Amino acid sequence: MSVDLLTVKRVARLARIAVSEEDAERMTGELNAILGFVEQLNEVDVSGVEPMTSVTPMEMKKRQDVVTDGSKAADIVANAPATEENFFLVPKVVE
Amino acid sequence: MSDLTHLTISQARAKLRAKEITATEITEAYLYAIERANPALNAYVVVTDDKARDMAKASDAKLAKGEGGSLEGIPLGIKDLFGTEGIHTQACSHVLDGFKPHYESTVTANLWADGAVMLGKLNMDEFAMGSSNETSYYGPVVNPWRRSRLDTVVMPTTHQGDGGFVSAGGTRTARTLDNAQLVPGGSSGGSASAVSAFLCAGATATDTGGSIRQPAAFTGTVGIKPTYGRCSRWGIVAFASSLDQAGPIARDVRDAAILLKSMASVDPMDTTSVDRPVPDYEAAIGKPIKGMKIGIPREYRVDGMPEEIEALWQKGIAWLKDAGAEIVDISLPHTKYALPAYYIVAPAEASSNLARYDGVRYGLRVPGKDIVDMYERTRAAGLGREVKRRIMIGTYVLSAGYYDAYYLQAQKVRNLIKRDFENAFAAGVDVILTPATPSAAFGIADEDMAADPVKMYLNDIFTVTVNMAGLPGIAVPAGLDAKGLPLGLQLIGRPFDEETLFQTAHVIEQAAGTFQPEKWW
């Protein structure tokens, strides 16, 4: 399988990365080189093989459903580029 | 004073406890060495002098009372991927500009609890994506090792006084260092370069496809990636969560064992942290390997591999045989599929992990005409080329209609890779010996690698299988090539059997010796 310029632009949109025409053209070549490389996986017979879900067999850790953390709003917003009263500020999203 | 930087961790530990040296003295020696070397090597992105001095002072107070932890007063470098409270933590990416976490990663917290001193944050490939440390926003790291050539020097015939010969002429050979700058490997290139150049006693590193073992091999240092789940991932910037593991890079096998013992823990903050006690890895060093079964996988003999790598591998086999181990040929038939499967699984996980860098909660923000435009501009400006490439691949293979063909297929192949190892271990193999890398360190800005991303990816061909199967792997220096560059061997063990890796790696180290670069910086 290979990707064309239009697909690359669509994927960039999905990934929320702005690309110029020139970027998209370069990426098309690079992505096709990588997709060509991974193509060889198709020759592996995987009939009856389950997809891996965990490298080591381990039971999911569980704990009591209680509050163990919190009251640190100021810490959480401390690194944000724009905040007001412990809220993250973003451009207007609702018209 | 610079002698203090040449002490191994175990040597420094003994001298500190015996009060022959102080933590402040050794810390000052490292800070001085960093100041002199860093402009040339670019191994550190931040030096935390004040913090280092404060920590050393606190260590000295404890040591004076005969107290202190297993790493009391030992100065370490920390890869920029580890969250360190109040200190630059940016995964060497522009998108995390100015980020100073309000928390400490579990691994670094363990080291500080044991008394270690932080010298600073180490350079790395952006978000740990790379095999040459050239994708860092802070510029490439330089390998302290340089190629050298053997010259035949004709000695002049000189006379002294009345016919007294000083030199009778003839020839001798001399090594001349080449000026070309080489990469230290990646992604933990800053860690490897700093350890190799005596700019820290040891360093933390992380390994998703070979990022501890490949740079260790390129710099003549020891690097271990423990079993998945042995070190907590809490507080470490995520790349590919099912593959990422932290581990140390050190100057010898014993130091690596000392560091891993401190870094590893059982952590309720990471659900994949394994619930079993951390053994005393150092105790495994020096135990005989007589009767141990060493597997030699035939699939690791790849086309185009330099003869020197094959010769090194044979040397390793001979050393282990001499020590009484039994050598058996084994087959790991799905080896060649590990790298292509990795380049689906790792980018897929990265594309979701890196979705959080959107200019809202931390780091860089580039304004846009609306929120989506802001996201897109921020990510376009903040993420480097290799990172974007991997996010794009990951987004593509996870997108509607392609998930089964790529991601699911790769996860099935991953199970087959793991099964290959399980079969070998079930047949009685204790440890597997392979080369660590298919070549020695290459030049910075290598044109072939820049032109074809897949060429760069092939660096991890021997290491990536281990991440795919979640196993522990150690790279140990085993010799120098004809150009005087270090080469490493890799040992792969059963899950959570790091002890056997330290035990066996030590036998190789005893036979091969340790390697130090000639100082030019």
Side-chain angles (χ1 to χ4, degrees):
Chain A
M1 263 179 274
S2 66
V3 292
D4 55 16
L5 193 64
L6 214 64
T7 311
V8 168
K9 287 182 183 169
R10 186 176 61 86
V11 173
R13 183 83 183 159
L14 285 173
R16 295 284 185 256
I17 298 172
V19 290
S20 66
E21 197 66 26
E22 196 190 321
D23 287 341
E25 271 170 31
R26 196 196 63 242
M27 281 179 176
T28 307
E30 290 171 353
L31 263 49
N32 280 328
I34 298 166
L35 292 172
F37 173 65
V38 301
E39 197 97 306
Q40 51 182 307
L41 288 181
N42 293 331
E43 63 195 56
V44 186
D45 179 9
V46 292
S47 44
V49 181
E50 286 291 310
M52 181 182 276
T53 48
S54 168
V55 276
T56 39
M58 53 171 74
E59 211 178 310
M60 174 70 98
K61 281 181 200 167
K62 301 176 195 77
R63 63 169 178 85
Q64 290 301 313
D65 185 14
V66 291
V67 177
T68 58
D69 204 354
S71 302
K72 45 172 85 160
D75 280 355
I76 288 164
V77 299
N79 276 289
T83 61
E84 204 178 291
E85 292 171 16
N86 287 344
F87 284 95
F88 296 112
L89 287 188
V90 295
K92 195 172 166 188
V93 284
V94 184
E95 289 304 325
Chain B
M1 202 152 98
S2 73
D3 282 353
L4 293 182
T5 64
H6 284 244
L7 297 173
T8 63
I9 291 175
S10 61
Q11 288 166 343
R13 183 180 60 181
K15 285 185 186 291
L16 285 163
R17 284 182 189 165
K19 301 191 177 72
E20 288 170 36
I21 58 170
T22 66
T24 299
E25 284 166 358
I26 191 166
T27 299
E28 291 296 341
Y30 277 113
L31 290 174
Y32 179 74
I34 294 166
E35 198 187 318
R36 299 297 296 265
N38 211 49
L41 300 176
N42 199 26
Y44 282 86
V45 290
V46 170
V47 181
T48 51
D49 337 33
D50 291 345
K51 187 170 177 74
R53 290 188 174 108
D54 288 348
M55 290 174 100
K57 212 166 146 190
S59 285
D60 279 331
K62 283 190 184 163
L63 288 161
K65 287 188 276 182
E67 294 168 3
S70 60
L71 288 167
E72 201 65 57
I74 303 291
L76 302 178
I78 303 299
K79 187 178 182 179
D80 198 31
L81 206 63
F82 291 81
T84 43
E85 195 173 354
I87 292 163
H88 176 112
T89 298
Q90 299 179 17
C92 285
S93 176
H94 185 34
V95 87
L96 267 169
D97 262 7
F99 184 63
K100 289 188 170 73
H102 283 229
Y103 53 81
E104 186 79 25
S105 80
T106 300
V107 164
T108 48
N110 289 343
L111 292 169
W112 314 142
D114 283 336
V117 170
M118 172 158 65
L119 292 168
K121 298 301 283 286
L122 294 162
N123 205 339
M124 54 180 281
D125 277 304
E126 183 182 3
F127 284 112
M129 298 179 190
S131 304
S132 64
N133 213 127
E134 293 172 292
T135 72
S136 166
Y137 180 64
Y138 299 90
V141 174
V142 175
N143 193 331
W145 287 84
R146 286 182 163 181
R147 291 188 194 107
S148 57
R149 58 167 203 276
L150 270 180
D151 289 322
T152 305
V153 184
V154 181
M155 303 297 287
T157 310
T158 49
H159 300 271
Q160 192 185 50
D162 199 16
F165 283 108
V166 167
S167 164
T171 60
R172 66 175 182 94
T173 53
R175 276 205 176 271
T176 316
L177 275 192
D178 191 277
N179 281 334
Q181 293 191 331
L182 303 181
V183 303
S187 66
S188 310
S191 307
S193 177
V195 171
S196 173
F198 303 99
L199 306 184
C200 57
T204 65
T206 59
D207 190 315
T208 304
S211 283
I212 290 176
R213 292 157 289 157
Q214 185 251 16
F218 276 15
T219 55
T221 54
V222 177
I224 181 166
K225 180 204 91 71
T227 314
Y228 184 80
R230 183 66 286 181
C231 287
S232 169
R233 291 181 294 108
W234 196 81
I236 301 174
V237 177
F239 162 15
S241 305
S242 78
L243 300 156
D244 297 344
Q245 256 300 288
I249 290 182
R251 286 198 216 121
D252 66 13
V253 174
R254 183 176 297 275
D255 283 5
I258 295 169
L259 287 171
L260 183 60
K261 164 87 176 135
S262 177
M263 292 168 72
S265 61
V266 181
D267 184 11
M269 300 295 275
D270 174 3
T271 51
T272 62
S273 154
V274 72
D275 209 357
R276 46 155 91 202
V278 182
D280 179 8
Y281 297 121
E282 215 184 333
I285 293 171
K287 283 194 183 156
I289 61 158
K290 197 170 160 49
M292 203 182 270
K293 237 185 202 180
I294 313 285
I296 309 299
R298 68 177 66 100
E299 290 81 6
Y300 281 61
R301 200 158 277 122
V302 297
D303 289 344
M305 185 165 89
E307 243 169 67
E308 284 177 302
I309 303 281
E310 172 68 30
L312 183 88
W313 199 6
Q314 293 305 325
K315 243 184 353 188
I317 292 170
W319 289 330
L320 297 180
K321 210 187 224 170
D322 287 348
E326 185 192 340
I327 307 296
V328 288
D329 285 322
I330 61 166
S331 175
L332 302 169
H334 295 91
T335 298
K336 72 176 270 211
Y337 301 111
L339 202 57
Y342 175 86
Y343 275 98
I344 290 173
V345 174
E349 293 184 15
S351 73
S352 22
N353 273 330
L354 272 62
R356 70 189 74 178
Y357 305 108
D358 57 5
V360 175
R361 284 154 296 172
Y362 21 63
L364 187 75
R365 169 184 285 195
V366 178
K369 62 181 188 312
D370 55 31
I371 193 163
V372 172
D373 194 41
M374 182 204 78
Y375 293 154
E376 292 189 343
R377 284 168 187 264
T378 299
R379 290 163 67 78
L383 302 170
R385 226 188 226 204
E386 180 62 28
V387 174
K388 283 183 197 162
R389 189 145 60 207
R390 296 200 198 188
I391 290 175
M392 293 283 288
I393 284 286
T395 306
Y396 177 71
V397 300
L398 290 178
S399 64
Y402 297 105
Y403 180 82
D404 286 6
Y406 287 111
Y407 191 73
L408 223 51
Q409 177 78 5
Q411 288 290 41
K412 286 177 183 172
V413 172
R414 194 171 170 191
N415 249 342
L416 290 172
I417 293 161
K418 185 167 177 249
R419 206 178 286 172
D420 285 353
F421 283 107
E422 283 167 355
N423 290 341
F425 292 129
V429 166
D430 295 294
V431 59
I432 295 166
L433 177 73
T434 77
T437 55
S439 75
F442 46 88
I444 286 180
D446 184 287
E447 282 175 14
D448 284 356
M449 303 249 187
D452 179 1
V454 174
K455 271 219 173 81
M456 184 66 90
Y457 297 170
L458 288 171
N459 266 289
D460 292 335
I461 192 161
F462 298 140
T463 48
V464 78
T465 50
V466 177
N467 302 75
M468 293 303 268
L471 300 172
I474 191 169
V476 59
L480 301 178
D481 71 1
K483 289 174 180 147
L485 295 181
L487 294 172
L489 288 170
Q490 174 180 236
L491 292 161
I492 305 167
R494 292 194 172 99
F496 301 105
D497 191 13
E498 283 81 5
E499 286 160 290
T500 300
L501 295 188
F502 286 121
Q503 184 186 353
T504 315
H506 184 66
V507 172
I508 292 176
E509 181 177 76
Q510 291 293 97
T514 54
F515 303 90
Q516 300 175 0
E518 193 180 312
K519 194 172 171 193
W520 52 264
W521 57 89

